[in-house]
Amino acid sequence: MERTMEYSLLQKMKYAQQLTAQEKHIVNYILNNPEVVFESTAHELAQATFTSSSTIVRLCKKLGTQGYPDFQLKLALDYQRAPATIPPADHPLTELEDVRSAMDSVPYLYHQALEETRRLLNVSVLQRIANWVKESGRIDIYGSDMNYYLAQQACTKWNELGIPAIAHNSPNMHYLNTMNLNVSTLSFVISHTGENQSMVDVAKILNGKNMNVIAITGNNHSSLSRQSTETLLSYGYNEQMRLSKMSSMVSVLYIFDILYMSNIRDSY
């Protein structure tokens, strides 16, 4: 069953950047007065924000809901799960208040990333990949920029289990073209968009050697996925959301830790 990423309504409201001035005003009003939404019609909310009902409905659809009633329901569900102290994105804070806000909001963002990643993952695919890890003679993880450091962390854990693992921050064409095919090598390639050309090239070369390649990406229809044996969907990449990199890091580390934990009992 195909799965796609879904951001919470609260996240969309707090971190969306492509909103008009009117829409930002409405969002900030709602975040400061959430009970108004639960008790008001679209017309009443428009009066309270000095806007129009059509602007309210248009904002609701831009935030991914079907209309104002659906917006009310999703917001109510989100507020049951989220810490009450998370402020609007542009809320003025003193230094102390900012730290206190972060103490509440960071665990929420971590929890959101973990829960959404868990929802996106396919257990049977994970089990198959976990078996490949157990059978592999070596693990290669490819990722550029931030993803390279995530790859290094995953490799460190596997090396501790006695599984040779190396992180690569760019395609090493000499290595890729002269790989020892007698060694069972399992390769992971990380790209949140799935369109990083250097990572797509790596997967294409490995795929051409009939090797198992696992894409870790937020796009199930990406060029990287098409060149890979399996795809593990990560959560949190959206250029319009300011904290998406934090969610992406948590999501990728969670995926690698699941595979690490599935092997740890066989190693001790």
Side-chain angles (χ1 to χ4, degrees), residues 144 147 189-203 215-228 237 239:
S144 60
N147 293 328
V189 185
I190 313 169
S191 171
H192 297 303
T193 63
E195 300 299 337
N196 182 309
Q197 192 57 53
S198 64
M199 295 298 108
V200 174
D201 290 343
V202 167
I216 298 182
T217 178
N219 185 351
N220 205 27
H221 302 288
S222 64
S223 300
L224 178 59
S225 289
R226 289 194 294 271
Q227 295 293 338
S228 301
Y237 183 82
E239 292 179 349

Side-chain angles (χ1 to χ4, degrees), residues 85-112:
T85 55
I86 297 182
D90 61 351
H91 183 71
L93 296 168
T94 67
E95 184 176 353
L96 181 59
E97 287 173 332
D98 194 47
V99 170
R100 286 175 175 166
S101 174
M103 289 172 66
D104 289 324
S105 60
V106 169
Y108 170 67
L109 292 172
Y110 282 5
H111 175 76
Q112 183 75 16

Side-chain angles (χ1 to χ4, degrees), residues 6-20 22-24 26-28 30-31 37 45 55-68 70-72 74-75 78 238 240-241:
E6 180 180 323
Y7 296 91
S8 76
L9 184 55
L10 276 173
Q11 283 182 304
K12 290 178 181 178
M13 292 175 69
K14 293 181 179 75
Y15 308 123
Q17 295 180 311
Q18 293 186 342
L19 298 179
T20 66
Q22 271 192 324
E23 290 166 346
K24 288 179 181 178
I26 296 168
V27 164
N28 287 333
I30 292 171
L31 290 173
V37 175
L45 180 59
T55 302
I56 299 292
V57 174
R58 186 167 58 248
L59 172 62
C60 292
K61 291 183 178 179
K62 184 178 284 191
L63 292 170
T65 62
Q66 297 177 4
Y68 188 68
D70 188 39
F71 176 82
Q72 287 177 302
K74 285 185 168 60
L75 186 65
D78 269 5
N238 187 327
Q240 298 179 12
M241 292 176 64

Side-chain angles (χ1 to χ4, degrees), residues 245-264:
K245 285 188 176 181
M246 181 188 296
S247 296
S248 298
M249 290 176 66
V250 172
S251 180
V252 172
L253 288 174
Y254 175 46
I255 289 171
F256 280 125
D257 280 347
I258 292 172
L259 295 172
Y260 169 76
M261 290 295 293
S262 70
N263 283 269
I264 197 169

Side-chain angles (χ1 to χ4, degrees), residues 92-133:
L93 296 168
T94 67
E95 184 176 353
L96 181 59
E97 287 173 332
D98 194 47
V99 170
R100 286 175 175 166
S101 174
M103 289 172 66
D104 289 324
S105 60
V106 169
Y108 170 67
L109 292 172
Y110 282 5
H111 175 76
Q112 183 75 16
L114 294 173
E115 285 298 310
E116 289 300 320
T117 305
R118 189 175 187 274
R119 185 182 62 81
L120 291 167
L121 292 173
N122 183 302
V123 176
S124 62
V125 171
L126 268 174
Q127 184 60 63
R128 183 157 53 250
I129 295 171
N131 291 336
W132 289 347
V133 171

